[in-house]
Amino acid sequence: ASPGALVLGERIGYTFADEQLATNALRHRSWCAEHGGAESNERLEFLGDSVLGLVITDRLYRMCPHAEEGDLARLRAELVSSRALAEVAQERRLGEIVLLGRGEEATAGRSKASILADSMEAVLGAVFLDGGLVAAAAVVERCWGTRIDDLVASGPTADHKSRLQELAARLALDPPRYEMAESGPEHDKRFAAEVHAGGVVSRGEGRTKKDAEQEAAAGALAVLAADEMDRGALVLSADGRTTSDE
C-alpha cells in the first residue's frame, strides 16, 4: 500500500484492514491513465455516494422525529452536495494525498472541488467495503457530525436561485439568465453553470445542474447584495442621516 493509504486512515480516524482499498480510493482517473490503466476510484465513488446517502438519511430520520419528508430531503440534499463533500475533503486534507496525473497536478487538481468531492465519496466506499456499514457510519459521524448538528439547528440554506430572482426584481433588473455546459462520461457527468444578473457574471459547478446553478447564483447574490447595501448607504448620505464624519 502507498504511504498515502496510511495517512488517509489517520485523517479520517479509521484503520483499514485492507490497505489496498485505501490506495484505490485515492486513485484519480488521470493518475490511472499514466500507470498502465490501473483501476480508478470511480467505482468506489459510485458506492460511496449511496453509503453517504443512507447514513445521512438514517441520522436525520432519527434526529428529527417530527420533520416532514420535504424538510428531511432538503437537509439531506445539502449534506450530501458536492460542496459539502469538497468541504469535508478539505478539512481532512485529502487533496494532499490523492493520486493525480501530471495534467491535473499542473492545473491545481489538488484543490479542485470536483476531485475533492469524488475522492471523499470513494473513501467512504472503501471504508464500507473494508469494515461494513457500521464503520462507514462512524467515519461519516466523525467527518459530518458537527455539520449535521449545525444544519439541523439552523435549517437548510435558503434557495440561492430564488433569492437572486427576488433581489433582481427588487433592484429592477432583468431576470437572471443561466447558461449550462456539461462534460464527462455519462456515468460521471459534471455541470458548469454561468448566471448573468445586473451586469454580474458568476459561475458554479457541480454533479447536478441544480448544484451548479445554486453555486453560480450564490456568487451573483453576494455581489448584488453588497451593491444594494452600498446604494442604501449612498441614499442615507444624500439624506444627511449618516454620522460617519463624527
Side-chain angles (χ1 to χ4, degrees):
S2 70
L6 300 176
V7 176
L8 172 61
E10 294 173 358
R11 293 188 178 176
I12 64 172
Y14 176 77
T15 301
F16 283 89
D18 182 355
E19 291 184 350
Q20 188 60 51
L21 277 171
T23 300
N24 292 351
L26 298 174
R27 288 177 173 171
H28 186 259
R29 61 178 176 270
S30 63
W31 182 91
C32 296
E34 297 176 4
H35 290 78
E39 184 177 2
S40 75
N41 63 3
E42 291 179 345
R43 282 168 52 83
L44 288 172
E45 173 197 337
F46 170 76
L47 177 60
D49 175 64
S50 293
V51 171
L52 177 62
L54 175 59
V55 172
I56 292 293
T57 300
D58 178 65
R59 174 80 140 75
L60 292 174
Y61 183 86
R62 297 173 188 277
M63 190 176 181
C64 310
H66 303 298
E68 296 183 356
E69 179 187 2
D71 295 329
L72 292 172
R74 283 187 286 275
L75 290 168
R76 180 180 61 188
E78 192 154 334
L79 290 165
V80 304
S81 68
S82 297
R83 180 177 296 185
L85 280 157
E87 289 173 353
V88 171
Q90 286 177 324
E91 292 164 4
R92 300 291 158 171
R93 294 155 54 205
L94 291 193
E96 297 175 5
I97 56 176
V98 67
L99 300 172
L100 297 178
R102 289 187 294 272
E104 288 292 353
E105 285 279 15
T107 55
R110 296 189 181 280
S111 61
K112 287 183 179 178
S114 59
I115 290 178
L116 291 172
D118 292 348
S119 298
M120 192 66 231
E121 284 186 327
V123 166
L124 294 175
V127 172
F128 173 76
L129 289 179
D130 190 71
L133 187 58
V134 171
V139 171
V140 171
E141 180 62 32
R142 191 171 296 114
C143 298
W144 266 264
T146 300
R147 184 174 264 97
I148 296 171
D149 293 340
D150 290 346
L151 186 61
V152 168
S154 63
T157 302
D159 181 349
H160 298 303
K161 283 188 66 177
S162 296
R163 290 179 59 198
L164 179 60
Q165 183 89 13
E166 293 166 2
L167 180 57
R170 190 161 67 242
L171 296 177
L173 303 174
D174 290 336
R177 176 170 56 85
Y178 292 86
E179 297 175 359
M180 184 68 63
E182 61 183 66
S183 61
E186 196 63 38
H187 70 280
D188 190 28
K189 287 286 187 185
R190 290 292 181 276
F191 296 91
E194 184 174 276
V195 62
H196 300 255
V200 174
V201 179
S202 178
R203 298 174 179 83
E205 63 177 40
R207 285 175 299 168
T208 67
K209 292 180 180 180
K210 181 179 179 180
D211 283 348
E213 288 180 339
Q214 286 290 343
E215 186 170 296
L221 184 64
V223 175
L224 290 178
D227 287 348
E228 184 185 34
M229 290 181 66
D230 289 342
R231 293 179 189 182
L234 288 173
V235 170
L236 288 175
S237 296
D239 289 347
R241 286 181 282 161
T242 58
T243 55
S244 57
D245 294 331
E246 288 182 353

